[in-house]
Amino acid sequence: MNVLTDNFSVYGEGFLGTVELTFFASLLALALGFVMASFRVAPVGSLRVIGTVWVTVLRNTPLTLLFFAVLLGLPRFGLVLPFNVFAVLALGCYTSAFICEALRSGINTVPRGQGEAARSLGMTFSQTLSNVVLPQAFRTVIPPIGSTLIALAKNSAIAGAFSVTELLGTYKTLGELGYDVIWTFVWIAVGYLIITLAISAIFNVLERKWGVPR
């Protein structure tokens, strides 16, 4: 216990850093995922191409490589931001591709006739998607979206290699202070467990309230 009690502030700072990264990257991933899922099912061919390219590139790019591209590449084009903002961009964009595909799979479960009925009533594509299709699709995609955001929380550990304050990076500080590496990682694992269980609990509540009964 002394590894934790003697260094509670170090663990606390790393824990809050991971929570912050997870929270803001999740918001970005959900927003971009919704937009790209809309593009993927849009009647406009150019939008479908944009959505397909976005998903294909990001799903097939290693996250570490994406971190290098964002944190080291964007400043070369004059975009200079704090490293934690770059980390949110990398995590959010990467995860948005998986959110997009989860939403698209949910959209595909909605009977085609409902969309056709909405259009026959004079609804536009955006109105049909937001008022008819997505509310039903959301009920079926709560579990996969929850799993994707849990993966995002664990993926945030990569940010520590790029000078971003997060939970896994605390092992460097504690290692330099001479603490036992095994117990250092045990408490890091506990921190990640708390975060992932919290996300899981939130989505369990959402699933009980809005999910499709099985």
Side-chain angles (χ1 to χ4, degrees):
M1 284 293 292
N2 68 306
V3 176
L4 177 65
T5 56
D6 293 349
N7 302 279
F8 194 78
S9 61
V10 176
Y11 275 113
E13 185 179 5
F15 181 83
L16 292 177
T18 294
V19 169
E20 184 178 282
L21 275 177
T22 301
F23 177 75
F24 289 109
S26 295
L27 292 181
L28 179 61
L30 290 169
L32 286 175
F34 168 78
V35 171
M36 291 303 158
S38 301
F39 282 7
R40 292 273 276 164
V41 298
V44 181
S46 58
L47 293 181
R48 291 199 300 273
V49 170
I50 292 172
T52 300
V53 170
W54 181 271
V55 169
T56 301
V57 171
L58 290 176
R59 288 182 74 187
N60 293 284
T61 300
L63 181 55
T64 304
L65 181 59
L66 185 61
F67 263 88
F68 274 111
V70 172
L71 275 79
L72 303 180
L74 292 182
R76 292 178 176 269
F77 295 95
L79 185 59
V80 180
L81 296 170
F83 270 20
N84 60 331
V85 176
F86 282 133
V88 168
L89 287 174
L91 282 168
C93 290
Y94 178 79
T95 308
S96 70
F98 298 90
I99 296 291
C100 169
E101 288 302 275
L103 285 172
R104 189 169 71 94
S105 67
I107 290 171
N108 289 337
T109 65
V110 179
R112 187 185 297 270
Q114 296 199 24
E116 294 173 349
R119 287 192 294 274
S120 70
L121 294 174
M123 288 187 179
T124 63
F125 169 75
S126 59
Q127 288 173 330
T128 301
L129 191 65
S130 59
N131 297 324
V132 178
V133 177
L134 280 178
Q136 298 180 73
F138 174 73
R139 299 178 63 196
T140 66
V141 300
I142 294 174
I145 288 179
S147 298
T148 302
L149 296 185
I150 287 173
L152 184 154
K154 293 183 287 187
N155 287 338
S156 66
I158 297 176
F162 297 90
S163 302
V164 176
T165 300
E166 53 78 44
L167 188 56
L168 183 61
T170 58
Y171 87 90
K172 299 176 184 176
T173 302
L174 300 183
E176 292 171 356
L177 295 174
Y179 285 95
D180 187 283
V181 66
I182 295 178
W183 283 105
T184 297
F185 279 107
V186 165
W187 291 114
I188 289 173
V190 170
Y192 278 108
L193 185 62
I194 292 171
I195 294 171
T196 56
L197 287 178
I199 296 173
S200 179
I202 291 170
F203 277 85
N204 283 338
V205 171
L206 293 176
E207 188 175 8
R208 284 198 299 270
K209 187 172 183 180
W210 289 307
V212 175
R214 287 179 172 79

